[in-house]
Amino acid sequence: MDPLARFTAIYDALNAERGWWSHASCLRFAAAATMTSPGPPEGVARAIRGAAEALRKGSRWYGELKTSLRFVVSAPLVNAGDDPARFLAEVERLRAIFRERGLRRGGAYEVIAALLLRQQAGLEAVPEPSIGRFQLLYEEMKRHHWWLTGPEEFPFCALLAGRAGAPRELGEAVEAVFQALGAEGFAAGDPLQTAACILALSGIGARVAARRFHGLAEAFRQAGVAIWKSDYDELAVLSFLDPPASEVADRVLRCRDAMAALRPKPDRSTTFNLAASVAFLELAGTTPATRELIDAKALKDIQSVIDAQRAAAASAAGAAS
């Protein structure tokens, strides 16, 4: 499989039926999350649109899946052969349990966590021990950084819940990476915590992970690409890879040229984001773990786009008034 050609073909099939009122961003991230799905691109695109429509119809009128997030949520459902109606029922069940346990309302991030936990459970009801691990991991992260940790960490707590090890040990692993990245000169904040969560999933150790992360940042800078906090999660995903940083950076930049040719043209952040995901699959190959990571990243990325759009709309409304 050629991940770049596959991504482009699925995106083109999705974009061919995009209405003027909808954003292309959701379709790009959905294509990124279904690069490994079998079947012709047109068939994958139809499956995504069918699942997205089922999510829209089955969601509460004010629910998160009325937004373009539903297209990206549909991608893992299509990958796993999950039923949208059963998924929505599990989301509602888990939300009720989260409230009983005193977890904060997480909006879309709660939906993403539910999806990941459900897939770890083999598309069955998420068992109590898994929910307990998820909550303990969230509390561990809050213990280290209560001012940074919020529902936006739910997706990565869900991923970590599926890994071996006690929640305290996994929380310490995230913190060790966070501190190692800080020692390499990267700015503390929520983007760094997200990067630390991703890198803790790699199992390569805090110091090695931080050195790879730093080496990639330098390779991109030497290639004339500025690295911002918003790029930290891309660097974290790419740090899983064994090839030299210069080779990884070169592959990402070649993929980025292809992303810049998409229509409508993505912005700078999106081209880098998508190129990193495609290059990662090209160099790492397809495994359940790599697909899970790309799914989680695509889901969190599109929700960040939605959050930014809402913030911009609220700012414009405030200025107009």
Side-chain angles (χ1 to χ4, degrees), residues 52 55-56 59 63-67 69-70 73 87-88 91 111:
L55 291 176
R56 186 189 68 80
S59 298
E64 295 79 14
L65 293 174
K66 294 291 189 184
T67 71
L69 175 68
R70 70 184 184 276
V73 169
F87 166 69
L88 288 171
V91 169
V111 174

Side-chain angles (χ1 to χ4, degrees), residues 97-308:
I97 295 172
F98 291 168
R99 299 295 81 76
E100 290 171 4
R101 288 175 164 267
L103 279 163
R104 286 179 59 184
R105 293 185 182 276
Y109 297 109
E110 219 167 51
V111 174
I112 297 169
L115 184 149
L116 296 169
L117 290 169
R118 174 173 165 78
Q119 295 204 336
Q120 290 170 10
L123 307 185
E124 299 296 333
V126 179
E128 276 291 327
S130 296
I131 299 170
R133 279 177 64 81
F134 166 77
Q135 182 172 11
L136 287 172
L137 282 159
Y138 179 68
E139 291 171 353
E140 272 298 304
M141 293 180 66
K142 285 195 73 69
R143 182 172 69 87
H144 290 290
H145 301 288
W146 63 265
W147 64 97
L148 290 179
T149 304
E152 61 275 8
E153 263 67 57
F154 281 0
F156 295 105
C157 289
L159 283 185
L160 286 164
R163 298 302 192 266
R168 176 61 66 97
E169 293 171 352
L170 292 168
E172 293 288 354
V174 173
E175 179 61 13
V177 177
F178 184 91
Q179 296 299 331
L181 291 172
E184 292 284 351
F186 295 97
D190 190 63
L192 198 71
Q193 180 160 267
T194 297
C197 288
I198 294 171
L199 286 167
L201 293 164
S202 70
I204 59 178
R207 291 185 179 179
V208 173
R211 285 198 296 269
R212 286 188 180 184
F213 191 94
H214 181 269
L216 284 164
E218 286 302 309
F220 282 115
R221 287 172 182 141
Q222 289 173 13
V225 178
I227 295 296
W228 306 96
K229 289 183 181 181
S230 59
D231 301 319
Y232 284 0
D233 54 349
E234 277 74 55
L235 291 186
V237 169
L238 294 170
S239 295
F240 280 59
L241 300 169
D242 292 326
S246 58
E247 181 180 332
V248 174
D250 179 66
R251 187 63 202 145
V252 171
L253 294 179
R254 280 188 282 149
C255 290
R256 192 180 189 186
D257 289 340
M259 298 304 161
L262 297 175
R263 293 293 178 268
K265 187 175 181 177
D267 61 22
R268 173 260 173 219
S269 178
T270 302
T271 58
F272 188 75
N273 189 323
L274 295 171
S277 295
V278 172
F280 175 75
L281 281 183
E282 286 186 343
L283 294 170
T286 305
T287 68
T290 58
R291 187 158 73 179
E292 183 184 53
L293 182 59
I294 292 299
D295 286 350
K297 185 176 175 303
L299 289 160
K300 190 170 187 297
D301 287 341
I302 192 58
Q303 188 54 37
S304 296
V305 171
I306 293 169
D307 289 345

Side-chain angles (χ1 to χ4, degrees), residues 20-77:
W20 64 266
W21 62 89
S22 62
H23 292 283
S25 295
C26 63
L27 306 183
R28 296 179 189 125
F29 287 111
T34 49
M35 285 184 285
T36 60
S37 292
E42 295 78 11
V44 174
R46 281 195 301 272
I48 291 170
R49 287 196 175 279
E53 181 63 10
L55 291 176
R56 186 189 68 80
K57 288 181 176 178
S59 298
R60 296 169 294 182
W61 70 268
Y62 56 87
E64 295 79 14
L65 293 174
K66 294 291 189 184
T67 71
S68 55
L69 175 68
R70 70 184 184 276
F71 288 97
V72 191
V73 169
S74 295
L77 298 185

